[in-house]
Amino acid sequence: MDTGVKALSLDVRRTLFLGHFGSGKTEIAINRALAEAARGTPAALVDLDVVTPFFRSRDLRQSLEGAGVHLVAPETGFDQADLPILPMSLDRSLGDPQVHTFVDVGGDEGARALAGLRRFFLPGQYEAFLVVNPRRPQTATPEAILAFRAWLESMSGLSLTGLIANGNLAAATETVQVREDYQLLRGVSEQADLPLVAVVVPERLASSLSPADFDVPVWPLHRYLLSPWE
């Protein structure tokens, strides 16, 4: 089973994670950026959550920087602002070919912000993954997922390049849900002619899943962003 430590393509240095609020894209972006930095690759994480998200990668600024991930986010003092403020160093970070840059595209407003950054995302030079949690009402059916994909591409002006299955019920997630949601996303992948890139599973469940259950890599997910009551 792929344990999630496999490097992404070295030829593509810009990886975007898009999805509805609650899809888990921020945690996935954090996990992948930290994994890349741990391999010794210069890594950056762009926080494109431009309007008041609940969980934000910028909340881990010190931890990320300490682990070797350069965080590109609004400067301290503006990071809690209820305004669509883009990081001042965004252009420089996206333009550096030596750095693998992961972009956490925060919800619907983040997709709109991408439209102004299309010059950095030329065909063949980026990956744009739609993170889907079918346990969320906005992406509970194939029709809803396909409609959201069309909307994202229309708003951002970018073509998505893959799907990531992240079906979960938070702390109540069990292996049966992971398998069910993988099957749903496998069908959507075929219908949309869009590859299924990975299945994301809570770290605690990784050892309970058989390699025979999936035909794509499995990414165990460590939770870095916790609710105030956790």
Side-chain angles (χ1 to χ4, degrees), residues 3 56 58 70-71 82 106 108 113 118 140 167 173 214 229-230:
T3 60
R56 298 183 292 192
R58 72 190 74 168
H70 175 54
L71 180 65
D82 194 7
D108 300 353
R118 280 180 291 181
T173 306
F214 312 102
W229 54 87
E230 293 182 283

Side-chain angles (χ1 to χ4, degrees), residues 167-229:
N168 71 84
L169 293 167
T173 306
E174 298 298 340
T175 55
V176 62
Q177 283 104 35
V178 174
R179 294 187 181 99
E180 288 174 355
D181 294 338
Y182 159 74
Q183 291 297 335
L184 186 148
L185 266 296
R186 170 54 67 203
V188 172
S189 168
E190 294 172 358
Q191 189 175 351
D193 193 24
L194 199 61
L196 184 59
V197 174
V199 174
V200 177
V201 303
E203 205 170 36
R204 63 182 174 82
L205 296 180
S207 62
S208 303
L209 293 164
S210 166
D213 290 335
F214 312 102
D215 62 356
V216 297
V218 174
W219 292 354
L221 189 76
H222 179 79
R223 288 190 62 201
Y224 292 95
L225 298 169
L226 300 177
S227 305
W229 54 87

Side-chain angles (χ1 to χ4, degrees), residues 132-147 184 188:
V132 180
N133 181 1
R135 302 292 162 168
R136 290 286 180 174
Q138 303 96 329
T139 49
T141 66
E143 294 76 17
I145 296 167
L146 293 171
L184 186 148
V188 172

Side-chain angles (χ1 to χ4, degrees), residues 34 37-38 60-71:
L34 286 169
L60 297 175
R61 186 186 297 270
Q62 290 185 343
S63 298
L64 289 167
E65 297 281 357
V69 176
H70 175 54
L71 180 65

